[in-house]
Amino acid sequence: MQRKLTGLAVLLAVTLPTLALAGDPPREFNSRLPKPMPLDPESGRLKWTDRPDLMILSRLAADHAVETGGDGEIHCVLGKNRRPADCVIIRETPEGRFGAYLIAMAKRYQAASVDSKGVSPVGRKVTLAFRLANTKETARLKYGED
């Protein structure tokens, strides 16, 4: 069982996240963790001091029943604690589940106290776009049926 969990963690690291800005064409899956991006292109770059790891993303996917994959985008405002809050689902597939997964993921991020221009990020609007691979099918192909 330990071998399967380790293999699944490696598999998730390779196939999980894709970060895409609104309007960009879909990208191939890669090993980068998604991160919220400022909606205002004139604002300074945000540095994230706290963010989820792949194990948390995997657990959230199971909790929200999206292990079969999905795609979505949310817009949030950084609250006084510099964490995304007041999130609005812009698009989600599958409907009714993936947006909640993105919101739960977004709450795991925290911005640094200042951005690259030395300005507080509180009140900044950010977007988080993410595509999740079918982790169940990929694991079945790699390890076979139980």
Side-chain angles (χ1 to χ4, degrees):
M1 183 64 177
Q2 181 63 33
R3 181 171 176 240
K4 281 189 177 185
L5 288 178
T6 303
L8 182 57
V10 171
L11 179 65
L12 289 173
V14 173
T15 63
L16 253 181
T18 295
L19 176 65
L21 298 176
D24 284 350
R27 297 182 186 177
E28 295 297 317
F29 295 108
N30 61 48
S31 60
R32 291 186 303 169
L33 285 173
K35 60 184 174 181
M37 300 295 290
L39 283 171
D40 178 10
E42 302 298 317
S43 63
R45 272 186 317 156
L46 295 172
K47 179 177 179 184
W48 298 98
T49 58
D50 190 18
R51 59 182 151 198
D53 60 25
L54 290 173
M55 293 305 287
I56 290 172
L57 294 183
S58 177
R59 187 171 60 240
L60 288 174
D63 291 348
H64 289 88
V66 294
E67 308 98 324
T68 56
D71 183 47
E73 178 181 1
I74 59 172
H75 291 182
C76 305
V77 176
L78 295 180
K80 290 182 180 181
N81 61 0
R82 302 181 319 274
R83 291 188 184 274
D86 301 324
C87 298
V88 176
I89 300 167
I90 303 303
R91 62 181 171 79
E92 66 175 331
T93 304
E95 288 188 28
R97 292 195 318 248
F98 203 77
Y101 168 70
L102 290 177
I103 291 170
M105 180 194 309
K107 291 179 180 181
R108 303 294 183 136
Y109 287 87
Q110 183 175 33
S113 57
V114 294
D115 65 15
S116 63
K117 294 183 177 180
V119 178
S120 171
V122 174
R124 176 93 48 92
K125 293 179 182 176
V126 295
T127 183
L128 177 69
F130 186 65
R131 180 178 302 150
L132 178 69
N134 183 334
T135 57
K136 281 185 173 180
E137 179 65 16
T138 306
R140 187 187 66 76
L141 291 173
K142 183 163 179 80
Y143 298 111
E145 299 290 332
D146 283 338

